Amino acid sequence: MNYASVHFGTGTMIPLSVILINFFISISALLSYRLIIKWAFHYYARYGSIHKTKAVIYNAGYSGLMVRKAISEDAAGNIRICGFLDDKLTRAGKRLEGLPIFGTSRASLEKLATQEGVKLLLIVEEAIDTQLLNNLVDHCLSLNIKVQKVLPINKWISSGWNPSKLQDIRIEDLLDRSVININNAQVQIEAKGKSILVTGAAGSIGSELVRQLVKLNPSVLILCDKAESPLHELELELQDQVSNVAIVPFIANVCDRNRMQQLFEVYEPSMVYHAAAYKHVPMMEKNPSVAVINNVLGTKILAELSVDFGVEKFVTVSTDKAVNPTNVMGASKRIAEIFTQSFNHHMHKHYKKTGPVYGHPPTRFITTRFGNVLGSNGSVIPRFKQQLEKGGPLTVTHPEITRYFMTIPEACQLVLEAGAMGQGGEIFVFDMGQPVKIAHLARKMILMSGREPGKDVQIVYTGLRPGEKLYEELLNNSENTVSTYHEKIMIAKVREYDFIEVNQRIEELIASANKHYVTPTVVLMKQLVPEFISKNSAYEQLDKDKIKI
């Protein structure tokens, strides 16, 4: 029988069958080795990291893959990615790099929590829809799944991954609204190359107005405030950011006419954004004369100086509490609105266009009115955070109290937009979205801190404060507003006043406030603003006496 063989030069002959057998044995050994290594790797990944926190990533796109890769390569980390979430129906049920893609429904999250043992959801999406984020957080909180967001990839890709790139979801993220579009071209035209004054520049609204205005390339930006340290910090912040705009910190009280006149004489502002005001309702209820001096007299002085020095536009930042006010603060802001609006009509009514070249037109006074802003000094969210840090309780004035919320940048963008579109005399109101129940806000903040309301942290109802009402009003429905080209900005239909009469009565009010009379000052406020009906206040008796009369 002849067998095929291979003949070597040494005279040795090896049968071909031996060579083939050796080849297949070698291949089998190599494949087995690779399979064992791969199995061992997956075994370690699955069971060797049994104590790691199981997580899913919201985002089955490029960003999600980058985060998954970074976390997987972090040997010292304590997170194990076991899937992706995506709200696109075409992706749900498929696999990505060997990991399943789940939908964002509660049923999907419940399956992940109960069957897969997922304890963490990572949000890898900078522009996630607020409603979707709220739904995800609500579902996850009820299923004991923690929610965190990942910093934008471009902020850490060069330095590498570490756990500090994860941040807890803030309550502000859940109350945030969609990005608004403003008419940047018109706003830029209004500001570019101008000398602009911002009062209350060191405050929450004033400082953000300054940050946005400085991007519009004014020639000079005057930051007026009486708070030295916050104004200094704002100046340092701007110096690090801009070099082509003259930044002028100007320490002054807007009620000091001589000091404010000096400002107008030296810097000759073309635009004034008046954000300086006392805003805390209970405090102003106890100090009505001071509320009038700061909010009414301060506005009056600035308005008169603006006319005297030929300011083009004067934009006042007002509040929803000026609508049917129930407190001194809201009434003082409404009186400031009445003064500037009637002053505008008076000046333009008597403006004479004479000669071939018309004189400089009078100042155009514009009012912007909106509700609470997220994170402003002394507002409810920073207070809740402080109370949580101390272990509670969280204090809410009433179980049914609701408020409108808006982010500070959004509010300031709308102020700039309204200022640009305003022709004088308008009171602009903003679309504040849906009101938020403060008790629900407190409960959600407790849950997001990983604690249970009523068990780990209590919610205590303290009763409405002086001057406080359950529901704020914005006059933003079709019955009492006129729409504009911007869907979020409306013009309020309000009663118009005769300036001569208003000015005289405001002079009387200021004279009373300067003597720090309490009751007479509030009586004069109620006469100027008939809809001012006090609530939970010592001044309720004045309304009863008025009814008797």
Side-chain angles (χ1 to χ4, degrees):
M1 184 180 290
N2 293 325
Y3 294 95
S5 62
V6 176
H7 179 76
F8 291 92
T10 57
T12 305
M13 294 182 64
I14 299 177
L16 183 58
S17 59
V18 172
I19 295 174
L20 291 174
I21 291 170
N22 181 68
F23 171 77
F24 285 116
I25 289 174
S26 299
I27 291 296
S28 299
L30 286 170
L31 288 174
S32 299
Y33 173 75
R34 292 186 60 136
L35 288 172
I36 290 170
I37 293 297
K38 189 173 182 180
W39 175 84
F41 176 80
H42 283 293
Y43 180 88
Y44 175 79
R46 185 171 182 83
Y47 299 103
S49 57
I50 195 168
H51 297 297
K52 290 188 176 184
T53 301
K54 287 186 175 182
V56 288
I57 293 174
Y58 174 79
N59 188 322
Y62 173 76
S63 298
L65 286 172
M66 291 293 291
V67 171
R68 188 254 177 163
K69 182 175 183 293
I71 291 176
S72 299
E73 292 175 352
D74 181 20
N78 65 342
I79 297 174
R80 178 162 68 87
I81 304 301
C82 57
F84 295 90
L85 282 189
D86 204 291
D87 57 333
K88 294 182 177 64
L89 296 177
T90 55
R91 293 181 178 177
K94 297 180 180 179
R95 301 184 76 84
L96 182 63
E97 289 198 347
L99 296 179
I101 301 175
F102 300 90
T104 55
S105 66
R106 178 178 174 82
S108 294
L109 289 168
E110 193 168 349
K111 179 181 178 182
L112 286 168
T114 56
Q115 297 182 18
E116 302 294 332
V118 169
K119 294 294 183 183
L120 178 63
L121 169 62
L122 301 180
I123 305 291
V124 188
E125 181 73 53
E126 294 181 53
I128 184 172
D129 178 75
T130 305
Q131 187 58 53
L132 173 60
L133 180 61
N134 269 281
N135 291 339
L136 285 173
V137 170
D138 286 342
H139 295 333
C140 287
L141 288 176
S142 66
L143 296 168
N144 198 28
I145 298 175
K146 186 175 183 179
V147 184
Q148 290 186 303
K149 61 181 179 180
V150 181
L151 288 177
I153 292 176
N154 58 5
K155 293 185 177 180
W156 55 264
I157 192 68
S158 58
S159 59
W161 172 266
N162 62 64
S164 68
K165 310 310 177 191
L166 294 178
Q167 293 182 339
D168 290 337
I169 297 291
R170 305 173 306 153
I171 194 69
E172 292 91 336
D173 298 322
L174 304 180
L175 295 175
D176 204 351
R177 287 128 55 90
S178 58
V179 177
I180 61 172
N181 297 313
I182 65 171
N183 186 354
N184 287 291
Q186 183 59 33
V187 174
Q188 178 104 22
I189 291 170
E190 293 273 341
K192 189 172 183 179
K194 303 280 183 68
S195 174
I196 299 178
L197 165 64
V198 179
T199 70
S204 304
I205 295 294
S207 60
E208 180 60 26
L209 277 173
V210 167
R211 293 184 188 99
Q212 294 192 22
L213 283 166
V214 80
K215 299 174 184 176
L216 302 177
N217 297 313
S219 59
V220 181
L221 198 51
I222 307 113
L223 321 180
C224 178
D225 207 294
K226 61 183 180 181
E228 176 204 12
S229 294
L231 190 60
H232 176 64
E233 291 172 7
L234 180 61
E235 180 192 11
L236 293 179
E237 175 190 332
L238 294 175
Q239 285 177 348
D240 292 338
Q241 295 178 1
V242 296
S243 59
N244 59 330
V245 178
I247 305 297
V248 179
F250 194 91
I251 295 180
N253 186 332
V254 293
C255 303
D256 184 342
R257 185 181 290 272
N258 290 333
R259 179 66 169 154
M260 297 312 298
Q261 181 166 334
Q262 183 184 41
L263 185 155
F264 279 82
E265 288 174 347
V266 174
Y267 298 105
E268 298 181 339
S270 299
M271 300 275 294
V272 174
Y273 289 90
H274 179 39
Y278 284 148
K279 65 176 185 176
H280 293 293
V281 169
M283 190 173 290
M284 292 304 102
E285 205 69 11
K286 297 174 184 175
N287 301 276
S289 60
V290 177
V292 168
I293 291 171
N294 194 77
N295 295 354
V296 179
L297 175 60
T299 302
K300 188 174 189 292
I301 288 172
L302 282 166
E304 291 170 345
L305 287 171
S306 294
V307 169
D308 292 343
F309 286 87
V311 168
E312 296 173 16
K313 280 189 178 180
F314 184 103
V315 182
T316 303
V317 175
S318 190
T319 170
D320 57 357
K321 293 174 178 63
V323 183
N324 299 323
T326 59
N327 52 67
V328 166
M329 192 284 284
S332 70
K333 294 295 285 183
R334 176 65 188 130
I335 293 168
E337 290 182 357
I338 290 169
F339 178 81
T340 55
Q341 188 182 36
S342 61
F343 195 19
N344 180 88
H345 295 330
H346 177 75
M347 294 303 300
H348 285 264
K349 180 180 178 181
H350 294 86
Y351 170 53
K352 302 291 185 182
K353 295 182 178 180
T354 58
V357 179
Y358 296 153
H360 194 284
T363 304
R364 287 176 284 176
F365 291 92
I366 297 151
T367 298
T368 59
R369 185 194 279 171
F370 51 89
N372 301 278
V373 289
L374 295 172
S376 65
N377 298 328
S379 63
V380 64
I381 291 176
R383 178 161 175 76
F384 280 170
K385 287 180 179 178
Q386 292 170 357
Q387 292 175 335
L388 273 173
E389 288 173 2
K390 297 175 183 177
L394 268 60
T395 54
V396 180
T397 57
H398 192 281
E400 298 301 319
I401 193 166
T402 64
R403 289 294 181 265
Y404 292 93
F405 287 99
M406 176 179 281
T407 65
I408 294 176
E410 180 182 17
C412 292
Q413 286 177 34
L414 291 174
V415 168
L416 295 178
E417 178 79 14
M421 75 167 68
Q423 297 302 307
E426 304 98 337
I427 294 180
F428 289 102
V429 294
F430 300 157
D431 173 13
M432 296 292 295
Q434 295 300 314
V436 176
K437 191 171 283 191
I438 301 301
H440 291 174
L441 188 67
R443 178 179 172 81
K444 184 169 281 191
M445 288 184 70
I446 295 170
L447 289 169
M448 289 173 64
S449 71
R451 288 167 279 187
E452 186 176 338
K455 182 179 179 182
D456 303 315
V457 180
Q458 301 297 322
I459 297 175
V460 176
Y461 298 103
T462 58
L464 291 174
R465 298 175 298 175
E468 192 171 48
K469 54 185 175 180
L470 286 177
Y471 311 103
E472 300 291 6
E473 303 167 75
L474 285 170
L475 294 181
N476 61 357
N477 60 54
S478 59
E479 295 180 0
N480 44 38
T481 60
V482 177
S483 62
T484 69
Y485 66 76
H486 198 293
E487 70 278 5
K488 289 182 178 284
I489 303 176
M490 289 75 69
I491 301 173
K493 300 176 186 176
V494 295
R495 171 187 169 188
E496 293 187 5
Y497 288 75
D498 176 71
F499 175 73
I500 302 299
E501 180 186 351
V502 162
N503 192 44
Q504 182 181 345
R505 294 173 71 176
I506 287 178
E507 290 284 0
E508 293 173 5
L509 173 65
I510 292 170
S512 176
N514 276 328
K515 294 176 182 176
H516 296 290
Y517 295 154
V518 176
T519 302
T521 297
V522 178
V523 168
L524 290 170
M525 295 178 80
K526 288 179 178 293
Q527 291 174 357
L528 261 167
V529 186
E531 65 270 25
F532 171 24
I533 307 296
S534 298
K535 291 282 181 69
N536 309 300
S537 169
Y539 310 123
E540 287 182 76
Q541 186 61 43
L542 298 176
D543 301 315
K544 294 176 183 177
D545 294 341
K546 184 169 62 175
I547 292 172
K548 290 177 184 177
I549 294 172

